[in-house]
């Protein structure tokens, strides 16, 4: 069964701190692994897309890693800002279909 | 704004009524997707079109749901005889036929509340 699991479910950090979000996926055959940011009441916005041959991908203060052997991915956020408060969703892609995790709800406090 | 747009952004209706949502994809995007997202969950796939052809439908798409993309541009999603369980955010996304990973671009969603 294709599925994506994320941890933690929610996270609170202080502005300026770093954090790492985790994702375990079971998607076969594997095409790529994506991270999306979703602000409350808005649609998801793509942060990174990685194929199995890519170990890491950065987008500004966001850095995603992928271990295709253990089927794990992480999203590291550096020097967090208040605007980083959002849900971060890990997505496994196979044969053109996307399988979404439940997301990690990140709250950044001043 | 050349992104994906959805209308209306919010819809409140009484149980049993019919509702219709519209999605305007990014121009020249061949593929258009509909998802449903409930609180605390990730989006769940409903259906997708390639141009005007509806190529796949999820088991979530009951007989009360119908989607169309008549000219391969905008799409509509209709829910007949709405139920309280239909309350959710309905997201539309589009992607080009080719390109890196068929990246999907999402619209802002239509939030449906069924009373």
């Amino acid at each position: 069964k294709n599925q994506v699991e994320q941890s933690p479910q929610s996270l609170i950090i202080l502005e300026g701190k770093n954090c790492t979000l985790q994702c375990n996926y079971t998607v076969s055959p594997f095409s790529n692994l994506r991270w999306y940011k979703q602000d409350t009441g808005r649609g998801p916005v793509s942060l990174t897309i990685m194929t199995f041959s890519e170990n890491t991908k950065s987008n500004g203060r966001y850095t995603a890693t992928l271990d295709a052997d253990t089927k794990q991915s992480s999203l590291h956020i550096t020097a967090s800002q208040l605007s980083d408060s959002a849900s971060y969703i890990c997505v496994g892609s196979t044969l053109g279909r996307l399988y979404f995790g439940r997301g990690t709800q990140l709250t950044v406090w001043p | 704004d050349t992104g994906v747009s959805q209308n209306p952004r919010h819809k409140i209706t009484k149980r049993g009524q019919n509702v219709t949502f519209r999605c305007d994809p990014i121009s020249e995007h061949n593929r258009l997707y509909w998802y449903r997202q409930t609180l605390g969950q990730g989006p769940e796939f409903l259906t997708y079109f390639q141009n005007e052809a509806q190529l796949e439908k999820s088991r979530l798409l009951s007989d009360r749901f119908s989607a169309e993309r008549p000219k391969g541009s905008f799409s509509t999603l209709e829910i007949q005889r709405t139920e309280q369980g239909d309350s959710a955010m309905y997201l539309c996304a589009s992607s080009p036929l080719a390109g890196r990973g068929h990246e999907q671009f999402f619209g802002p969603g239509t939030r449906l509340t069924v009373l």
Side-chain angles (χ1 to χ4, degrees):
Chain A
K1 179 181 178 182
N2 293 314
Q3 60 184 26
V4 176
E5 296 181 350
Q6 295 186 239
S7 62
Q9 183 176 349
S10 62
L11 181 63
I12 300 173
I13 61 173
L14 294 177
E15 185 179 15
K17 298 298 185 182
N18 305 334
C19 66
T20 300
L21 314 180
Q22 302 292 341
C23 172
N24 294 321
Y25 64 92
T26 306
V27 173
S28 181
F30 176 77
S31 293
N32 54 69
L33 192 288
R34 312 171 185 214
W35 284 92
Y36 281 86
K37 177 186 179 185
Q38 186 175 24
D39 292 316
T40 300
R42 308 290 296 181
V45 174
S46 178
L47 294 177
T48 63
I49 298 177
M50 291 182 292
T51 63
F52 73 93
S53 62
E54 297 175 294
N55 300 119
T56 184
K57 182 68 65 73
S58 291
N59 179 359
R61 294 180 296 102
Y62 302 102
T63 299
T65 65
L66 177 66
D67 186 332
D69 292 331
T70 62
K71 294 183 172 56
Q72 294 179 327
S73 177
S74 66
L75 181 69
H76 186 74
I77 304 175
T78 304
S80 60
Q81 300 176 358
L82 298 180
S83 59
D84 292 332
S85 294
S87 177
Y88 292 84
I89 305 176
C90 178
V91 184
S93 175
T94 175
L95 302 176
R97 287 286 302 275
L98 300 186
Y99 292 87
F100 292 77
R102 293 185 175 184
T104 292
Q105 184 64 46
L106 175 66
T107 302
V108 181
W109 282 3
Chain B
D1 188 350
T2 57
V4 178
S5 63
Q6 293 185 244
N7 288 287
R9 293 293 311 279
H10 303 273
K11 179 69 176 179
I12 300 175
T13 190
K14 293 182 179 179
R15 188 178 56 182
Q17 298 294 306
N18 300 342
V19 295
T20 300
F21 311 140
R22 175 177 170 130
C23 171
D24 288 89
I26 295 172
S27 60
E28 300 168 0
H29 277 191
N30 304 92
R31 291 185 173 177
L32 186 148
Y33 305 79
W34 284 100
Y35 294 88
R36 181 173 70 184
Q37 184 177 25
T38 54
L39 196 62
Q41 303 293 321
E44 296 175 294
F45 170 79
L46 291 178
T47 187
Y48 94 93
F49 293 82
Q50 183 164 304
N51 299 316
E52 66 275 9
Q54 188 173 17
L55 296 186
E56 188 175 354
K57 293 192 292 185
S58 161
R59 287 173 296 175
L60 294 175
L61 213 66
S62 75
D63 292 343
R64 297 184 297 106
F65 289 69
S66 63
E68 295 182 343
R69 195 183 183 196
K71 297 183 179 180
S73 57
F74 74 91
S75 176
T76 58
L77 177 68
E78 181 183 15
I79 309 175
Q80 296 182 327
R81 305 181 303 281
T82 52
E83 302 173 356
Q84 289 185 324
D86 297 332
S87 295
M89 174 79 88
Y90 289 85
L91 293 165
C92 174
S94 69
S95 71
L97 187 57
R100 187 167 182 273
H102 299 295
E103 181 173 358
Q104 295 185 20
F105 298 83
F106 284 82
T110 294
R111 178 163 295 285
L112 172 66
T113 302
V114 181
L115 301 177

